[in-house]
Short mmCIF file of all heavy atoms in Angstrom, two decimals:
data_model
loop_
_atom_site.label_atom_id
_atom_site.label_comp_id
_atom_site.label_asym_id
_atom_site.label_seq_id
_atom_site.Cartn_x
_atom_site.Cartn_y
_atom_site.Cartn_z
N GLY A 75 -2.38 10.31 5.57
CA GLY A 75 -3.45 10.40 4.60
C GLY A 75 -2.99 11.06 3.31
O GLY A 75 -3.29 10.58 2.21
N THR A 97 8.78 8.14 -13.27
CA THR A 97 7.93 8.57 -12.15
C THR A 97 8.60 8.24 -10.82
O THR A 97 8.60 9.05 -9.89
CB THR A 97 6.56 7.89 -12.23
OG1 THR A 97 5.96 8.15 -13.51
CG2 THR A 97 5.63 8.41 -11.14
N ARG A 135 5.60 26.01 23.07
CA ARG A 135 5.21 25.27 21.88
C ARG A 135 5.88 25.86 20.64
O ARG A 135 6.32 27.01 20.62
CB ARG A 135 3.69 25.28 21.70
CG ARG A 135 2.95 24.45 22.72
CD ARG A 135 1.45 24.54 22.55
NE ARG A 135 1.01 24.16 21.21
CZ ARG A 135 -0.26 24.06 20.85
NH1 ARG A 135 -1.23 24.32 21.73
NH2 ARG A 135 -0.58 23.69 19.62
N SER A 137 6.38 27.65 17.20
CA SER A 137 5.70 28.81 16.63
C SER A 137 5.04 28.43 15.31
O SER A 137 5.29 27.37 14.73
CB SER A 137 6.70 29.95 16.40
OG SER A 137 7.65 29.58 15.39
N LEU A 149 5.03 17.95 3.28
CA LEU A 149 4.38 18.05 1.98
C LEU A 149 5.29 17.53 0.87
O LEU A 149 4.85 16.79 -0.02
CB LEU A 149 3.97 19.49 1.70
CG LEU A 149 3.30 19.74 0.34
CD1 LEU A 149 1.99 18.96 0.23
CD2 LEU A 149 3.05 21.24 0.13
N SER A 173 10.03 -10.99 -18.41
CA SER A 173 11.13 -11.89 -18.68
C SER A 173 10.62 -13.33 -18.79
O SER A 173 11.12 -14.13 -19.58
CB SER A 173 12.21 -11.79 -17.60
OG SER A 173 11.71 -12.20 -16.35
N TRP A 185 3.76 -14.16 -7.45
CA TRP A 185 3.40 -14.22 -6.03
C TRP A 185 4.65 -14.30 -5.16
O TRP A 185 4.68 -13.80 -4.05
CB TRP A 185 2.46 -15.38 -5.75
CG TRP A 185 2.93 -16.71 -6.22
CD1 TRP A 185 2.61 -17.33 -7.39
CD2 TRP A 185 3.80 -17.61 -5.52
NE1 TRP A 185 3.24 -18.56 -7.47
CE2 TRP A 185 3.96 -18.76 -6.34
CE3 TRP A 185 4.45 -17.56 -4.30
CZ2 TRP A 185 4.75 -19.84 -5.97
CZ3 TRP A 185 5.24 -18.64 -3.92
CH2 TRP A 185 5.38 -19.76 -4.76
N GLN A 315 -11.43 3.82 -38.33
CA GLN A 315 -11.14 4.00 -36.91
C GLN A 315 -12.42 4.37 -36.15
O GLN A 315 -13.23 5.15 -36.65
CB GLN A 315 -10.10 5.10 -36.72
CG GLN A 315 -8.72 4.74 -37.23
CD GLN A 315 -8.09 3.61 -36.44
OE1 GLN A 315 -8.11 3.62 -35.21
NE2 GLN A 315 -7.55 2.62 -37.14
N LEU A 330 -12.96 -0.98 -17.58
CA LEU A 330 -13.78 -0.21 -16.64
C LEU A 330 -14.50 -1.13 -15.67
O LEU A 330 -14.55 -0.86 -14.46
CB LEU A 330 -14.79 0.64 -17.41
CG LEU A 330 -15.77 1.45 -16.56
CD1 LEU A 330 -15.02 2.39 -15.62
CD2 LEU A 330 -16.73 2.24 -17.45
N LEU A 346 -9.41 -1.15 8.04
CA LEU A 346 -8.19 -1.81 8.50
C LEU A 346 -7.12 -0.79 8.86
O LEU A 346 -6.47 -0.88 9.91
CB LEU A 346 -7.70 -2.75 7.40
CG LEU A 346 -6.33 -3.38 7.59
CD1 LEU A 346 -6.37 -4.34 8.76
CD2 LEU A 346 -5.90 -4.10 6.32
N SER A 355 0.86 6.40 17.44
CA SER A 355 0.66 7.50 18.39
C SER A 355 0.39 6.98 19.80
O SER A 355 1.28 6.97 20.65
CB SER A 355 -0.49 8.39 17.91
OG SER A 355 -1.66 7.64 17.65
N THR A 369 18.76 -3.25 30.33
CA THR A 369 19.88 -3.39 31.26
C THR A 369 19.86 -2.13 32.13
O THR A 369 19.11 -1.19 31.86
CB THR A 369 21.22 -3.48 30.49
OG1 THR A 369 21.48 -2.21 29.86
CG2 THR A 369 21.18 -4.58 29.45
N ALA A 377 9.42 3.93 20.31
CA ALA A 377 9.12 3.65 18.91
C ALA A 377 9.76 2.35 18.43
O ALA A 377 9.35 1.80 17.40
CB ALA A 377 9.58 4.81 18.02
N ALA A 392 8.59 -15.39 5.69
CA ALA A 392 9.52 -16.48 5.38
C ALA A 392 8.85 -17.83 5.57
O ALA A 392 8.98 -18.72 4.72
CB ALA A 392 10.75 -16.36 6.28
N SER A 428 -5.39 -8.51 17.46
CA SER A 428 -4.37 -7.57 17.89
C SER A 428 -4.96 -6.45 18.73
O SER A 428 -4.45 -6.11 19.80
CB SER A 428 -3.65 -6.99 16.67
OG SER A 428 -2.77 -5.95 17.04
N ARG A 536 -5.11 8.73 33.12
CA ARG A 536 -6.46 9.18 33.50
C ARG A 536 -7.48 8.95 32.38
O ARG A 536 -8.62 9.35 32.51
CB ARG A 536 -6.42 10.67 33.87
CG ARG A 536 -5.83 10.97 35.22
CD ARG A 536 -6.75 10.52 36.33
NE ARG A 536 -6.26 10.89 37.66
CZ ARG A 536 -6.88 10.56 38.79
NH1 ARG A 536 -8.00 9.86 38.74
NH2 ARG A 536 -6.37 10.93 39.95
N LYS A 598 -6.24 -21.34 -14.18
CA LYS A 598 -4.87 -21.32 -13.66
C LYS A 598 -4.87 -21.84 -12.24
O LYS A 598 -5.69 -21.45 -11.46
CB LYS A 598 -4.30 -19.89 -13.69
CG LYS A 598 -4.04 -19.40 -15.10
CD LYS A 598 -3.42 -18.03 -15.05
CE LYS A 598 -3.13 -17.51 -16.43
NZ LYS A 598 -2.58 -16.18 -16.44
#
Side-chain angles (χ1 to χ4, degrees):
T97 305
R135 290 177 56 175
S137 66
L149 178 62
S173 64
W185 53 264
Q315 292 294 314
L330 177 58
L346 171 67
S355 53
T369 67
S428 173
R536 284 289 185 183
K598 290 183 179 178

